[in-house]
């Protein structure tokens, strides 16, 4: 068996699936100076991918490109086999469909050289459930990013039951060498850590819209002008530590702990009826006013960079 390349010696990466997330990964890896090979079966995939890379490039340039970084280092391939040829690492970002991912990971496993690590961007499937059809499941792992992967530093790394422990270590070291902030989980949790938290908020928001308790705009502003301003620095836990004054978290829990029992949260998901779907879509369109998706992406990128700079992280 040939040796696996060292995590900081990776030169070529492959992106399988090149939509919002796969395209975002491709842009990020290009900016970090890697050679990027991409494959996506959609007929218009290359056009969309190049549009996304071009749209992200001003933000990436502003943050500073690695030596040798260039959009010319992107090769869009006609087949999966061509895309994994000579690669050091594969990031899969195909649609969130368990059967599709099972088959696709098995296909990548069959095509890629035996020591290449295969990471999935899945938002919540445990790798244990996705690696079942692979001949060499030991090298399959979850590397869960956040949109846009070219700006948000976090990646959650977690293996499945058949993933080799050494592959978990290698993948975390690789993402760190690539400039990411890595959380390595020692067990599988549905939704990982961050998505579990995001989904709780999302579920409550849908409940409030469904019940007519809040508009889409009010929900967004309640976070952007409220708790969201504290989260980039301290996260929800240290934020509440300070909410307890000099008594810190101990006072916070003793004081507000009993309110955990009050019916503020509604843990079951609301039914996604057509009315609810339409109200959420219309609310977003109203809030966006005349800003297109491209305008909103550019606006978001500028703001994320400003926040990263304010925190001394860029
Ligand atoms: N959008 C997010 O915010 C987000 C965040 C983190 C993780 N993810 C995860 O990333 C993955 C991709 O999501 P997305 O938002 O980029 O979706 P998307 O719909 O934007 O892109 C999916 C891409 O996969 C391609 N595709 C379809 N069938 C394929 C196949 N058999 N093999 C390879 N590619 C195929 C499609 O043509 C499309 O370009 C999902 O697993 C999703 O859960 C999404």
């Amino acid at each position: 068996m040939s040796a696996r390349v060292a995590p900081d010696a990776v030169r070529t990466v492959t992106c399988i699936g090149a939509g919002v997330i796969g395209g975002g990964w491709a842009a990020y890896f290009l900016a970090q100076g890697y050679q990027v090979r991409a494959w996506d079966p959609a007929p218009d995939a290359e056009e969309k991918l190049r549009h996304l890379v071009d749209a992200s490039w001003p933000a990436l340039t502003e943050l500073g490109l690695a030596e040798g970084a260039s959009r010319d280092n992107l090769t869009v391939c006609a087949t999966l086999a061509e895309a994994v040829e000579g690669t050091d690492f594969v990031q899969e970002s195909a649609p969130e469909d368990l059967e599709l991912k099972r088959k696709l990971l098995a296909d990548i496993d069959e095509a890629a050289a035996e020591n290449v690590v295969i990471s999935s961007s899945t938002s919540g499937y445990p790798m244990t459930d996705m690696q079942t059809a692979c001949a060499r499941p030991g090298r399959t792992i979850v590397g869960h990013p956040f949109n846009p992967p070219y700006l948000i530093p976090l990646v959650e790394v977690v293996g499945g039951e058949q993933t080799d422990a050494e592959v978990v270590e290698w993948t975390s070291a690789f993402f760190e060498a690539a400039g990411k902030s890595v959380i390595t989980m020692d067990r599988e949790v549905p939704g990982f850590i961050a998505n579990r938290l995001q989904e709780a908020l999302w579920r409550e928001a849908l409940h409030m819209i469904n019940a007519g308790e809040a508009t889409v705009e009010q929900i967004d502003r309640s976070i952007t002008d409220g708790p969201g301003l504290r989260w980039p620095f301290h996260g929800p836990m240290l934020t509440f530590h300070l909410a307890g004054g000099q008594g810190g978290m101990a006072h916070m829990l003793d004081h507000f702990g009993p309110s955990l029992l009050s019916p503020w949260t509604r843990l079951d998901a609301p039914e996604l009826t057509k009315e609810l779907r339409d109200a959420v879509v219309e609310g977003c369109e109203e809030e966006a006013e005349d800003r297109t998706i491209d305008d909103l992406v550019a606006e978001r990128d500028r703001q994320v960079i400003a926040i990263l700079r304010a925190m001394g992280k860029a």
Side-chain angles (χ1 to χ4, degrees):
M1 208 202 272
S2 56
R4 179 171 292 130
V5 64
D8 58 359
V10 169
R11 293 289 165 263
T12 304
V13 301
T14 294
C15 295
I16 298 292
V20 174
I21 294 302
W25 272 121
Y28 181 75
F29 287 131
L30 287 169
Q32 292 294 316
Y34 294 97
Q35 297 288 326
V36 177
R37 302 176 72 76
W39 175 73
D40 186 305
D44 58 350
E46 175 161 6
E47 189 191 331
K48 282 191 176 158
L49 170 59
R50 293 200 186 273
H51 177 82
L52 195 157
V53 171
D54 287 344
S56 66
W57 210 250
L60 288 163
T61 307
E62 162 116 24
L63 283 175
L65 301 175
E67 206 183 313
S70 165
R71 281 175 280 183
D72 296 342
N73 293 335
L74 173 63
T75 309
V76 180
C77 302
T79 62
L80 189 161
E82 200 189 311
V84 299
E85 225 174 82
T87 200
D88 300 317
F89 173 75
V90 177
Q91 183 73 30
E92 170 275 312
S93 310
E96 191 76 351
D97 172 326
L98 185 56
E99 277 316 311
L100 184 154
K101 287 203 190 272
R102 261 188 199 138
K103 173 163 188 335
L104 181 58
L105 289 175
D107 290 347
I108 300 171
D109 181 35
E110 197 180 314
E114 60 189 342
N115 263 330
V116 171
V117 167
I118 303 166
S119 162
S120 173
S121 296
T122 179
S123 295
Y125 294 132
M127 184 44 83
T128 296
D129 294 347
M130 292 193 291
Q131 66 192 174
T132 49
C134 292
R136 288 164 291 196
R139 45 123 158 220
T140 57
I141 188 154
V142 169
H144 174 234
F146 293 81
N147 192 43
Y150 59 86
L151 285 185
I152 305 294
L154 188 63
V155 181
E156 293 173 310
V157 172
V158 57
E161 277 168 16
Q162 298 187 72
T163 305
D164 296 337
E166 183 263 326
V167 166
V168 179
E169 259 174 54
W170 186 97
T171 309
S172 296
F174 163 66
F175 281 127
E176 267 159 23
K180 287 291 188 186
S181 166
V182 180
I183 290 181
T184 308
M185 297 175 63
D186 65 3
R187 69 199 64 192
E188 290 184 297
V189 174
F192 319 122
I193 298 172
N195 255 3
R196 207 164 138 179
L197 295 171
Q198 284 200 131
E199 289 297 314
L201 194 62
W202 172 232
R203 198 179 299 123
E204 294 301 321
L206 290 182
H207 266 299
M208 285 194 273
I209 293 168
N210 202 31
E213 292 164 347
T215 65
V216 166
E217 193 272 341
Q218 285 173 327
I219 283 170
D220 275 347
R221 192 148 49 88
S222 76
I223 297 299
T224 59
D225 290 4
L229 285 174
R230 304 179 301 212
W231 287 339
F233 303 96
H234 283 160
M237 301 309 278
L238 275 190
T239 290
F240 279 168
H241 186 45
L242 299 189
Q246 292 300 326
M249 183 57 93
H251 177 63
M252 169 74 191
L253 286 175
D254 297 342
H255 183 183
F256 295 111
S259 72
L260 285 174
L261 293 175
S262 45
W264 286 357
T265 63
R266 306 182 187 178
L267 287 176
D268 291 337
E271 191 192 341
L272 193 54
T273 58
K274 179 160 179 352
E275 288 72 29
L276 175 56
R277 180 200 173 277
D278 291 350
V280 174
V281 171
E282 277 161 29
C284 285
E285 281 165 0
E286 250 171 57
E287 194 184 338
E289 293 180 320
D290 54 357
R291 293 169 295 177
T292 63
I293 295 286
D294 279 350
D295 294 337
L296 291 169
V297 164
E299 182 180 299
R300 174 201 61 198
D301 289 1
R302 272 197 315 277
Q303 310 285 21
V304 172
I305 290 174
I307 290 170
L308 289 172
R309 290 226 161 109
M311 293 189 298
K313 291 189 176 176

